[in-house]
Amino acid sequence: SLLRFELEPCPGPLDRSPARGPAMLEIGLAPGSNEIVTAWYWLDRLGEAPLASKSILSGKLDAAWIESVVLDFVGRVLARAKS
């Protein structure tokens, strides 16, 4: 199973910076494992390899871990939009 989020901040009407493509976060079972949940981050959805990843044993997976992964991802995307 895999859960995928795509995020593309919309620039304001006065923002003249070049448009950036969407970023992507995937959360799922690590390949070949039923015990490790991994989150992969791509700040460029078309990138070959993820920028970062975080993993946790499935028995320790909780709402706090998911919240930290999503907030970290959103923070990275927003920081990218400012640069």
Side-chain angles (χ1 to χ4, degrees):
S1 295
L2 185 67
L3 182 60
R4 179 179 291 164
F5 297 95
E6 288 192 28
L7 186 61
E8 185 172 7
C10 294
L14 301 177
D15 187 358
R16 301 290 182 232
S17 59
R20 296 184 183 240
M24 185 170 59
L25 165 66
E26 290 184 348
I27 300 174
L29 294 174
S33 173
N34 288 329
E35 297 182 19
I36 299 174
V37 176
T38 302
W40 297 273
Y41 305 76
W42 285 266
L43 293 184
D44 175 359
R45 198 182 108 220
L46 301 176
E48 292 285 324
L51 172 72
S53 65
K54 287 178 133 177
S55 297
I56 190 168
L57 288 172
S58 59
K60 296 186 179 222
L61 180 66
D62 61 4
W65 185 84
I66 295 172
E67 181 179 341
S68 73
V69 166
V70 171
L71 290 176
D72 184 45
F73 172 67
V74 171
R76 289 173 188 239
V77 173
L78 292 176
R80 175 195 75 162
K82 290 181 181 179
S83 61

